[in-house]
Amino acid sequence: MPFQERLAVRTRPKKKLFGCVAILGLGLMGSSLAMALKKRGIAGKVTGFARRPETRKKALAGKIVDAVCDRLEDAVRDADLVVACAPVSVIPEIITAAAGHLPPRAVVTDVGSVKARIAAAAEKALADNRAEFLGSHPIAGSEQRGLEAARDDLYRGAVVAITPTRRTSRRALRIVSGFWRALGAEVVPVSPAVHDRVLARTSHLPHLIAALLAGCAGRERAVEYGKFCGAGFRDTTRIAEGDPELWRDILANNACFLRGELKVFAGKLANLSAILSKGDERQIAKYLRNGRECR
């Protein structure tokens, strides 16, 4: 028999936005989402899906979800809203596997930080289905990972990009927007392609640069360079502590736009090197002022 466990939960008297929300993936993002849903009373039931038995056990023991399943079909069967919380290369696979088991008029979204490929794959998977897909990207998270790092306020005050396409209905737009707003987030609609171009500049490039800076500073062991690293170094390299496998997935899926941003960065770096070579202090000061103003 498929694994499925339930906890008795006391429902609040106020009206819920959703009868059931299914969260596919119970890492940092999925577990934080489940905790926020339960704390705010947004759904009558929060159902989780996780492949690892230990994750399912912890999710139930911590009352992060009301029910947890080891099969996608069981997790989504009664869901009004399904949220795929997995690495960006896995999200299309999850949605495709769940497609044939979704209730009519269910809405599917996700939390992936690359949108164009996910949107295309999800809409293809649901082409003959009455369920709909509308992508989401909450700009929130942590260099930490896993259920143990989850917290119920992760999405409060966050900006969430939602990425409608020409196939997106007003109903799906209303449901997904209302979902994130109920969690205390600010919703910003943008096309999948524009999202990926913007995030290449504001998120994916900074992560690569942080990793490069950390690697450059630590490239030799003859001197204990760490003893000479202050708050500035820690601030600028903090995100380099992020999960390498997770970030490899993100960068590979947005390589097209990221290559363009790297080209611009390389040009600016070459210009800075030329300014330093000339010893032009006025240009150095101008460069620094521009950086401060842009920030």
Side-chain angles (χ1 to χ4, degrees):
M1 292 182 65
F3 174 92
Q4 189 170 11
E5 296 181 47
R6 302 179 185 276
L7 290 177
V9 292
R10 184 178 300 170
T11 58
R12 300 179 186 179
K14 66 181 181 179
K15 185 178 179 180
K16 311 290 183 181
L17 284 180
F18 302 95
C20 176
V21 174
I23 299 175
L24 309 182
L26 293 173
L28 168 68
M29 303 296 280
S31 294
S32 294
L33 186 57
M35 292 168 68
L37 286 169
K38 289 174 65 63
K39 181 177 181 179
R40 290 176 176 252
I42 293 168
K45 181 174 73 172
V46 179
T47 301
F49 163 77
R51 290 191 173 96
R52 298 172 61 197
E54 56 267 39
T55 300
R56 298 195 295 268
K57 184 176 180 180
K58 288 178 181 178
L60 283 176
K63 299 184 179 180
I64 290 173
V65 292
D66 302 317
V68 64
C69 309
D70 68 345
R71 300 200 312 178
L72 282 168
E73 53 264 43
D74 295 324
V76 304
R77 186 169 287 127
D78 301 320
D80 305 304
L81 179 71
V82 175
V83 189
C85 300
V88 292
S89 62
V90 178
I91 289 173
E93 170 192 326
I94 286 177
I95 294 174
T96 299
H101 307 281
L102 295 166
R105 294 176 64 77
V107 174
V108 181
T109 190
D110 71 306
V111 298
S113 61
V114 180
K115 305 292 359 147
R117 290 187 178 185
I118 291 173
E123 290 187 340
K124 181 180 179 181
L126 299 176
D128 299 322
N129 196 302
R130 292 178 63 193
E132 293 186 75
F133 175 80
L134 172 56
S136 304
H137 174 208
I139 302 174
S142 168
E143 67 275 11
Q144 298 178 334
R145 60 177 301 192
L147 179 150
E148 294 81 7
R151 63 180 204 265
D152 60 29
D153 65 347
L154 184 67
Y155 301 103
R156 189 176 65 208
V159 170
V160 177
I162 60 171
T163 53
T165 69
R166 286 177 294 179
R167 297 179 57 179
T168 304
S169 71
R170 290 184 179 181
R171 175 178 175 269
L173 197 60
R174 173 177 53 80
I175 287 172
V176 175
S177 297
F179 171 73
W180 290 113
R181 289 189 180 115
L183 291 168
E186 176 189 351
V187 175
V188 179
V190 63
S191 74
V194 169
H195 168 277
D196 290 355
R197 177 172 58 81
V198 170
L199 267 294
R201 183 179 302 186
T202 63
S203 175
H204 306 162
L205 177 67
H207 194 92
L208 273 181
I209 293 170
L212 180 62
L213 178 58
C216 185
R219 68 184 182 274
E220 57 185 84
R221 307 293 182 182
V223 177
E224 292 187 49
Y225 288 93
K227 292 184 181 298
F228 300 93
C229 292
F233 184 85
R234 289 194 294 272
D235 290 345
T236 52
T237 60
R238 177 187 58 80
I239 55 175
E241 293 186 4
D243 178 21
E245 296 301 311
L246 175 67
W247 274 96
R248 178 208 62 188
D249 197 29
I250 292 169
L251 301 176
N253 276 275
N254 204 25
C256 177
F257 288 115
L258 185 54
R259 285 196 301 270
E261 292 302 324
L262 278 170
K263 186 175 181 180
V264 172
F265 182 79
K268 289 185 176 294
L269 193 61
N271 182 53
L272 176 59
S273 181
I275 290 171
L276 290 171
S277 295
K278 293 176 182 178
D280 189 335
E281 294 186 12
R282 290 180 60 187
Q283 286 298 314
I284 293 171
K286 182 180 177 181
Y287 182 91
L288 295 172
R289 282 196 301 269
N290 181 66
R292 184 173 63 180
E293 290 167 5
C294 287
R295 191 189 190 283

